[in-house]
């Protein structure tokens, strides 16, 4: 196994930063060595050989880690109390320090201190032979394995064979398996028993970006640490310290752009910082970073968004074209507008968000100004349209043309009034033409006052409420509790619904009883599929108690019976929806919103129609209705 594990002694070790002063600046170049001479190790490499920042400033202690305080505290307490797990799994996005943390844990477990008498510690000394060997990736008892290239069960068998042997010189034999989710199912199964009961001298440390791909049987045997994305302001401060050590002059806003582009990944940001320093030859401006990242000027994004939301589409398209000519990516510009929409919405809801320390002065001033002019429906609509348009731009043959069409769509939608205003305008137009339903008055001019219609905007869906005329008849008093036997089967259901203890029985009566015959004190019914076996006996017992009268409830096997009360309610609702759709106002709304549909109809309080009563108002619409609205609204 020693010739396959990644940390074999023949691999070129990484030179730690602390070792740099010991290098011989006058060393002869490797070309002067004999032909049989192998390539020099990292500690023998010339100091002039450049090392990328991500490796040069890789943390070597827990103190140098950023953004992982909870994990460090847990491990520190575990080491002090001796409650150290035998297996760890580190998970998180790329570049946040999973492998680096695994190596630091290995050093902490095997550190013996400068005098060689120390114990496991949360602060490894960095100078003992174990700390130095692990930092240089050449320790024989700390074995790293790349599961992406060694996925089979044979590789795990080889690892298991080495587990039974005690460490050569260190306190613990540590196995670090990177990208452990890449192991095959058979490899995981082969590892289970050893992972559950490993020898006391063995520790496992797993690292993965896909925690969900690891079997739960493995996770249950490990102590799990979720390494979260590092916050943007913390990344910017970290990059500023490194830039100072590199003697690079970088503007604070440029560092903020790099931290934002890193998306929580320390390594990604370090690579961008390395590139920016090279790009600016040691002096880096914000504009240089924008050009390097292909970002648009933030102030121009504010201008582009403001012009679009004002409906000034010609000016908006000119700004978009100018940014595109300077090398801006249309998809990135739409993404910036999407981010701006989200931020403006937060400022609209909580103005304190504009005072965040990470927000630049131009964002603070322009953000407050634009957020004050836009209503919440406009911002939410802009978010939906930009989100959909961003995907269209990414797959379009010509991204710039797709982005232009998105801006045009957004500009014209920004001028569109809210749905509630549209419905009010339709109602006013119908009133002027004499086609709108008038409360109580029919074509023959008869009838008393009827319900009036109030149209409001309900969060993007059109909602109309019918309300009684204040000059009409007063609302009926609430129905009293039954003092006599219910006159109808429906009244029986209502009586049962009034008591909490009989609610379940009322549901059975409404949903599973086909009425064959009813008279006060006697019920004959046919049970539907799903009815309780003791429905009749329970109904007799309950009604006897509620009414103080003796009831007779029988089951009919020959008669089909009427539809259940629930079926009758659904049929009545469909009829109301059909009647409401014929009303002139409702018909006009449905014609104006092709994708809308009536989903519910409710009679206003005190305006319930009696059976067989006809509406002579000239309109069948006498209810409140609810619409599922158009996507564009």
């Amino acid at each position: 196994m020693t010739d396959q594990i990644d940390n074999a002694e023949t691999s070129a070790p990484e030179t730690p930063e602390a070792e740099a002063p010991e290098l011989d600046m006058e060393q002869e170049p490797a070309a002067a060595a004999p032909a049989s001479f192998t390539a020099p190790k990292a500690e023998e490499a010339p100091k002039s050989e450049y090392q990328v920042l991500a490796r040069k400033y890789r943390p070597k202690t827990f103190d140098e880690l950023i953004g992982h305080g909870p994990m460090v505290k847990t491990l520190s307490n575990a080491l002090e109390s001796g409650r150290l797990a035998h297996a760890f799994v580190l998970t998180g996005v790329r570049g946040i320090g999973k492998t680096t943390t695994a190596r630091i844990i290995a050093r902490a477990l095997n550190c013996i201190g400068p005098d060689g008498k120390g114990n496991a510690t949360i602060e490894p000394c960095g100078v003992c032979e174990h700390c130095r060997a692990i930092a240089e990736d050449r320790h024989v008892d700390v074995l790293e394995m790349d599961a992406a290239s060694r996925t089979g069960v044979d590789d795990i068998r080889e690892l298991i064979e080495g587990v039974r042997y005690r460490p050569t010189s260190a306190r613990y034999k540590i196995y670090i398996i990177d990208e452990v989710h890449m192991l095959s199912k058979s490899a995981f199964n082969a590892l289970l028993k050893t992972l559950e009961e490993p020898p006391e001298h063995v520790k496992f440390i797993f690292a993965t970006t896909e925690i969900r791909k690891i079997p739960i049987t493995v996770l249950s045997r490990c102590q799990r640490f979720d390494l979260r994305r590092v916050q943007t302001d913390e990344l910017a401060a970290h990059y500023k310290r490194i830039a100072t050590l590199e003697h690079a002059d970088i503007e604070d806003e440029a560092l903020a752009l790099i931290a934002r582009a890193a998306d929580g990944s320390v390594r990604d940001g370090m690579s961008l910082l390395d590139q920016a320093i090279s790009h600016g030859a040691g002096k880096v401006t914000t504009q240089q970073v924008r050009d390097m990242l292909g970002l648009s000027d933030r102030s121009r994004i504010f201008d582009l968004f403001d012009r679009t939301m004002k409906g000034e589409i010609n000016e908006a398209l000119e700004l978009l074209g100018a940014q595109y000519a300077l090398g801006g990516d249309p998809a990135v510009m739409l993404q910036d507008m999407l981010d701006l929409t989200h931020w403006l919405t937060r400022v609209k809801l909580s103005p304190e968000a504009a005072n965040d320390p990470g927000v630049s002065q131009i964002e603070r001033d322009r953000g407050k100004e634009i957020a004050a002019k836009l209503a919440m429906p406009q911002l939410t609509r802009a978010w939906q349209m930009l989100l959909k348009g961003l995907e269209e731009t990414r797959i379009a043959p010509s991204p710039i043309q797709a982005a232009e069409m998105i801006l045009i769509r957004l500009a014209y939608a920004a001028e569109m009034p809210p749905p509630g205003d549209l419905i009010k305008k339709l109602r006013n137009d119908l009133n002027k033409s004499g086609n709108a339903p008038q409360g109580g008055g029919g074509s023959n001019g008869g009838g008393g006052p009827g319900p009036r219609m109030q149209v409001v905007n309900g969060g993007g869906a059109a909602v109309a409420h019918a309300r009684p005329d204040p000059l009409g008849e007063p609302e009926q008093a609430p129905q009293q509790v039954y003092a006599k036997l219910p006159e109808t089967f429906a009244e029986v259901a209502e009586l049962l619904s009034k008591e909490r203890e009989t609610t379940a029985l009322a549901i059975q009566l409404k949903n599973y009883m086909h009425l064959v015959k009813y008279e006060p004190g006697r019920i004959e019914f046919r049970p539907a599929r799903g009815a309780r076996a003791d429905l009749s006996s329970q109904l007799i017992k309950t009604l006897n108690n509620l009414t103080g009268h003796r009831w007779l409830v029988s089951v009919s096997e020959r008669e089909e019976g009427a539809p259940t009360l629930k079926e009758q309610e659904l049929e009545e609702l469909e009829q109301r929806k059909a009647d409401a759709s014929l009303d002139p106002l409702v018909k006009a709304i449905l014609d104006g919103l092709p994708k809308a549909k009536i989903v519910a109809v409710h009679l206003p309080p005190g305006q319930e129609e009696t059976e067989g009563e006809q509406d002579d108002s000239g309109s069948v619409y006498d209810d409140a209705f609810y619409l599922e609205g158009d996507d564009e609204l």
Side-chain angles (χ1 to χ4, degrees):
M1 174 162 181
T2 54
D3 60 341
Q4 296 185 25
I5 296 298
D6 290 346
N7 68 330
E9 295 185 10
T10 55
S11 60
E14 178 182 333
T15 304
E17 183 182 3
E19 305 294 331
E22 298 179 10
L23 297 178
D24 186 2
M25 295 299 296
E26 300 180 358
Q27 183 179 352
E28 291 295 326
S36 60
F37 184 76
T38 57
K41 296 184 179 180
E43 61 266 24
E44 300 174 358
K47 191 174 181 179
S48 59
E49 182 179 343
Y50 181 69
Q51 193 175 40
V52 296
L53 298 181
R55 294 185 59 191
K56 183 176 181 180
Y57 293 99
R58 171 174 283 174
K60 297 177 178 61
T61 64
F62 285 110
D63 291 337
E64 296 177 10
L65 285 175
I66 60 173
H68 305 318
M71 179 197 65
V72 174
K73 183 177 181 180
T74 302
L75 290 175
S76 177
N77 293 338
L79 286 171
E80 291 178 0
S81 62
R83 304 176 63 89
L84 197 63
H86 62 266
F88 305 91
V89 57
L90 310 175
T91 178
V93 298
R94 81 277 171 218
I96 57 171
K98 296 184 295 297
T99 305
T100 297
T101 302
R103 293 174 180 173
I104 296 176
I105 293 175
R107 294 175 65 185
L109 296 179
N110 284 328
C111 178
I112 58 175
D115 57 357
K117 300 179 181 180
N119 296 318
T121 174
I122 197 68
E123 298 178 353
C125 64
V127 296
C128 69
E129 65 171 302
H130 297 302
C131 287
R132 291 165 58 91
I134 295 173
E136 296 169 7
D137 196 17
R138 57 178 177 81
H139 200 293
V140 70
D141 292 323
V142 178
L143 310 175
E144 290 192 29
M145 171 180 166
D146 179 19
S149 59
R150 303 181 60 191
T151 63
V153 66
D154 291 336
D155 300 311
I156 295 300
R157 287 198 187 104
E158 187 177 347
L159 181 148
I160 294 173
E161 285 295 322
V163 165
R164 59 182 179 176
Y165 298 108
R166 298 192 61 84
T168 303
S169 59
R171 185 180 297 112
Y172 294 104
K173 179 178 284 189
I174 298 176
Y175 291 89
I176 300 175
I177 304 181
D178 202 6
E179 301 300 336
V180 68
H181 65 275
M182 300 292 288
L183 290 177
S184 65
K185 183 178 180 180
S186 300
F188 275 123
N189 291 335
L191 184 62
L192 285 180
K193 188 61 178 177
T194 302
L195 185 61
E196 183 176 10
E197 299 177 357
E200 60 180 9
H201 59 267
V202 172
K203 302 291 182 184
F204 291 96
I205 305 176
F206 301 143
T208 178
T209 55
E210 301 286 347
I211 190 67
R212 295 182 180 179
K213 293 183 179 180
I214 300 179
I216 189 64
T217 51
V218 174
L219 291 177
S220 64
R221 291 165 166 83
C222 302
Q223 193 171 95
R224 172 175 170 177
F225 294 103
D226 291 270
L227 307 187
R228 300 179 180 180
R229 296 177 186 269
V230 183
Q231 296 296 324
T232 302
D233 53 348
E234 197 169 3
L235 280 177
H238 180 62
Y239 297 153
K240 187 173 183 178
R241 290 192 296 269
I242 293 176
T244 302
L245 294 175
E246 291 292 311
H247 307 290
D249 184 12
I250 305 180
E251 297 179 359
D252 290 342
E253 189 173 350
L255 289 171
L257 289 176
I258 293 174
R260 190 181 299 124
D263 193 24
S265 171
V266 182
R267 185 178 60 221
D268 288 6
M270 295 284 278
S271 299
L272 292 174
L273 179 64
D274 212 342
Q275 182 180 353
I277 294 175
S278 299
H279 180 77
K283 184 175 179 60
V284 184
T285 64
T286 303
Q287 188 58 45
Q288 288 175 334
V289 174
R290 290 189 182 278
D291 295 339
M292 182 188 75
L293 299 177
L295 299 177
S296 303
D297 189 351
R298 190 67 172 172
S299 62
R300 295 186 181 182
I301 291 297
F302 274 90
D303 293 337
L304 180 61
F305 184 84
D306 191 25
R307 298 281 188 176
T308 303
M309 297 304 293
K310 287 180 179 179
E312 300 174 357
I313 188 58
N314 290 332
E315 293 81 354
L317 292 178
E318 289 179 2
L319 287 173
L320 180 67
Q323 289 292 93
Y324 181 71
L326 293 174
D329 186 351
V332 173
M333 286 186 276
L334 288 184
Q335 178 67 58
D336 289 343
M337 292 182 67
L338 193 66
D339 295 339
L340 178 58
T341 304
H342 173 263
W343 187 74
L344 291 175
T345 305
R346 289 188 57 197
V347 173
K348 188 77 175 179
L349 294 174
S350 177
E352 294 80 9
N355 299 323
D356 190 274
V359 178
S360 64
Q361 188 63 36
I362 184 173
E363 292 179 352
R364 185 177 296 111
D365 296 339
R366 294 294 303 277
K368 291 181 178 179
E369 176 188 351
I370 296 177
K373 294 186 295 184
L374 296 176
M376 189 59 65
Q378 291 175 293
L379 289 170
T380 55
R381 182 167 55 194
W383 170 267
Q384 292 292 339
M385 298 180 71
L386 285 170
L387 188 63
K388 183 178 180 181
L390 180 61
E391 185 64 26
E392 294 177 2
T393 303
R394 287 171 175 168
I395 64 176
S398 176
I400 184 60
Q401 293 178 0
E404 289 177 350
M405 294 303 298
I406 298 304
L407 293 188
I408 293 172
R409 187 190 307 171
L410 185 59
Y412 278 90
E415 295 180 339
M416 187 180 301
D421 295 344
L422 291 175
I423 296 176
K424 290 178 182 178
K425 185 176 184 304
L426 284 172
R427 179 173 179 269
N428 293 335
D429 293 343
L430 290 172
N431 284 335
K432 292 178 182 179
S433 63
N435 293 328
Q438 302 297 329
S443 56
N444 56 4
R452 294 183 178 180
M453 185 154 43
Q454 179 186 18
V455 183
V456 298
N457 179 22
V463 182
H465 298 284
R467 58 181 181 180
D469 194 324
L471 301 180
E473 299 179 358
E475 295 184 3
Q476 298 178 358
Q479 189 174 6
Q480 300 297 324
V481 177
Y482 289 99
K484 59 180 181 178
L485 295 180
E487 296 292 337
T488 65
F489 186 60
E491 290 181 358
V492 175
E494 183 179 355
L495 174 62
L496 295 174
S497 301
K498 290 180 180 295
E499 302 293 335
R500 177 179 299 179
E501 294 78 5
T502 59
T503 301
L505 188 58
I507 295 175
Q508 284 280 321
L509 186 142
K510 291 180 179 180
N511 294 342
Y512 303 108
M513 291 183 62
H514 295 277
L515 182 64
V516 175
K517 184 178 180 180
Y518 177 82
E519 58 186 48
R522 182 179 178 183
I523 301 175
E524 185 177 356
F525 72 97
R526 179 180 63 85
R529 178 178 297 180
R532 291 171 48 174
D534 60 345
L535 180 57
S536 58
S537 61
Q538 287 294 325
L539 193 57
I540 291 173
K541 180 179 178 181
T542 303
L543 290 177
N544 288 346
N545 294 334
L546 289 176
T547 63
H549 183 81
R550 190 169 184 176
W551 284 74
L552 177 61
V553 180
S554 59
V555 177
S556 174
E557 299 293 345
R558 294 174 297 178
E559 300 290 339
E560 289 293 327
T564 64
L565 293 178
K566 185 64 175 180
E567 292 172 348
Q568 296 177 29
E569 289 178 2
L570 295 176
E571 183 179 356
E572 182 181 359
L573 174 60
E574 292 300 323
Q575 184 61 43
R576 288 180 181 177
K577 289 163 61 176
D579 292 344
S581 64
L582 299 177
D583 182 88
L585 174 59
V586 179
K587 188 175 182 181
I589 294 174
L590 293 175
D591 291 341
L593 304 174
K595 297 183 181 180
K597 63 180 180 180
I598 302 174
V599 295
V601 181
H602 300 285
L603 289 171
Q607 297 293 326
E608 291 82 359
E609 296 182 12
T610 59
E611 185 176 357
E613 181 180 355
Q614 298 294 330
D615 182 11
D616 59 354
S617 64
S619 168
V620 298
Y621 177 75
D622 200 24
D623 306 321
F625 67 94
Y626 295 85
L627 295 178
E628 286 187 348
D630 193 286
D631 289 343
E632 294 295 330
L633 300 177

